[in-house]
Amino acid sequence: MSGISGASGPGIEAARAILAGAFAKAAEAGMKPLAVCVLDAGARLVAYERQDGASPGRYEIASGKAHGAVMLGMGGRAQMARAEAQAYFIAAANGALGGGLVPVPGGVLLRDAEGAVIGAVGVSGDASDNDEAAALAGAEAAGIAAEA
């Protein structure tokens, strides 16, 4: 299932598949309760869900991970590497983009068959590496290419 609704981003059915796939990965791996946020290519919310037990502030973190991925065109792992190499760039980008970036693993880009960015998924609730694994599993469940 591609679930792509044009170049603007994943449609609601694909977003629901991403949520389900991320939560299934979390259950399989025994992760803490997660929050998952799916954005389109314009960083607009497509879907969000927070599992029981995940703290309410997880929305902002999951959204920030996805927002940074879309706005910078690089996943959270790449953002973290960039922050380590050029902290001034991430700090400046964060300021320019309203302070909402969370440059750590758990935000992944979603790409169409031609490689164009169609959105992002952000996950928060467990260790960042586990959040990233859940995000990637969600994209895989929806049949969408993802980039950390």
Side-chain angles (χ1 to χ4, degrees):
M1 158 176 75
S2 73
I4 305 305
S5 61
S8 64
I12 189 64
E13 293 305 318
R16 288 179 180 145
I18 291 169
L19 295 172
F23 293 139
K25 176 67 173 180
E28 169 192 310
M31 294 180 196
K32 295 176 183 174
L34 301 179
V36 180
C37 182
V38 181
L39 304 181
D40 69 13
R44 292 174 296 269
L45 183 65
V46 178
Y48 170 75
E49 192 170 334
R50 179 175 59 91
Q51 292 180 304
D52 291 344
S55 63
R58 293 295 175 183
Y59 170 77
E60 286 78 7
I61 298 169
S63 177
K65 289 179 179 186
H67 187 256
V70 167
M71 299 305 283
L72 296 178
M74 64 177 80
R77 186 166 297 279
Q79 290 174 54
M80 184 174 74
R82 184 79 182 262
E84 290 169 349
Q86 296 178 311
Y88 60 89
F89 171 77
I90 293 295
N94 197 23
L97 297 172
L101 301 183
V102 181
V104 297
V108 302
L109 287 172
L110 301 174
R111 294 189 179 272
D112 67 13
E114 289 77 41
V117 173
I118 59 164
V121 57
V123 177
S124 179
D126 205 289
S128 292
D129 288 341
N130 289 339
D131 292 346
E132 179 182 84
L136 291 169
E140 182 179 350
I144 299 174
E147 176 185 319

